Amino acid sequence: METLTILWTGRLWLRRFTATARDLDALASLHGDPEVMRRIDDGRPQPRETVAARTLPGILRQYDELPPGTGCFAVESRTDGRFLGWLSLRPPSSVGLAAAPAVGRGAVLELGYRLLPGAWGHGYATEGARALVRHAFTVLGAEQVVATTMTVNSASRRVLEKAGLTLVRTFFEEWPEYIEGAERGDVEYAVSRAEWAQGPAAPSA
Ligand SMILES: CC(C)(COP(=O)(O)OP(=O)(O)OC[C@H]1O[C@@H](n2cnc3c(N)ncnc32)[C@H](O)[C@@H]1OP(=O)(O)O)[C@@H](O)C(=O)NCCC(=O)NCCS
């Protein structure tokens, strides 16, 4: 049987999502939470129907379409199996990021994450992000890991910094809809394999 587990850390499992009611419920609760979605896309929660028709099928399709070992992965507590959210490692696709190969020479992968509010503040995002950055460099052969977030998303920026990424630039895009804080723009972060290997995040996550 194909294994669903991508990796694990001290407290977390990262595994592929599945086409089950359980995973649909989990993803719909995450993407349907106004606090989670406040600083993402149009700033609004996604209806369950959208998650069922587009979001979950899209995540599942990417396991086939993207390079092996990349994608969007469910994060669960190793203690009790509770769904905490997701972390992702994919070819760069966010607005503001340059297109780049995801495998081979010059390979670049984009890091992302969303956790349920009940899981915030326990260091889970940092723990998972560090493990995925390590995975990108040591297993997937990436040469750089990049990420973007809103300038005002302090929690997300802190996660990136703690995972070893540093600020590259602040940039301003025209978005179809204004969301609070958009006037301060977005930030791009990155870390190269050489920088990561020398940094404090490199030791086993
Ligand atoms: C961003 C997010 C994943 C962080 O998850 P988390 O598990 O709470 O993060 P951690 O516990 O690992 O905390 C990382 C750091 O951020 C800090 N932090 C957390 N919330 C913060 C906030 N609101 N403001 C400033 N810093 C914050 C923590 O104190 C910690 O830094 P420290 O160790 O120096 O104290 C979570 O807030 C989330 O899912 N937000 C909604 C979705 C989202 O915005 N995703 C990113 C889109 S780019």
Side-chain angles (χ1 to χ4, degrees), residues 43-190:
R44 285 199 285 267
Q46 267 184 352
R48 182 185 171 87
E49 305 76 60
T50 306
V51 177
R54 290 218 310 264
T55 315
L56 182 56
I59 289 173
L60 299 177
R61 205 167 45 241
Q62 286 186 337
Y63 298 138
D64 293 328
E65 293 174 354
L66 298 182
T70 66
C72 179
F73 304 112
V75 179
E76 291 176 342
S77 160
R78 282 183 67 183
T79 312
D80 56 14
R82 195 166 37 110
F83 175 79
L84 303 174
W86 58 248
L87 281 126
S88 63
L89 202 54
R90 295 183 269 210
S93 67
S94 289
V95 171
L97 293 179
V103 289
R105 201 175 162 77
V108 181
L109 290 170
E110 178 180 357
L111 175 69
Y113 33 72
R114 280 178 211 180
L115 300 184
L116 285 164
W120 295 357
H122 299 280
Y124 292 139
T126 299
E127 188 171 317
R130 282 179 173 161
L132 273 190
V133 171
R134 162 173 284 274
H135 186 69
F137 289 132
T138 61
V139 178
L140 303 179
E143 291 187 11
Q144 192 184 39
V145 172
V146 297
T148 66
T149 188
M150 289 181 74
T151 301
V152 294
N153 196 339
S154 309
S156 180
R157 295 181 66 167
R158 192 75 190 113
V159 171
L160 295 175
E161 287 160 4
K162 294 186 80 176
L165 286 77
T166 54
L167 180 65
V168 175
R169 67 184 182 120
T170 301
F171 61 98
F172 296 85
E173 291 283 341
E174 287 294 322
W175 297 99
E177 294 192 51
Y178 171 81
I179 64 174
E180 190 196 340
E183 64 282 355
R184 292 189 50 203
D186 292 271
V187 280
E188 176 180 344
Y189 280 74

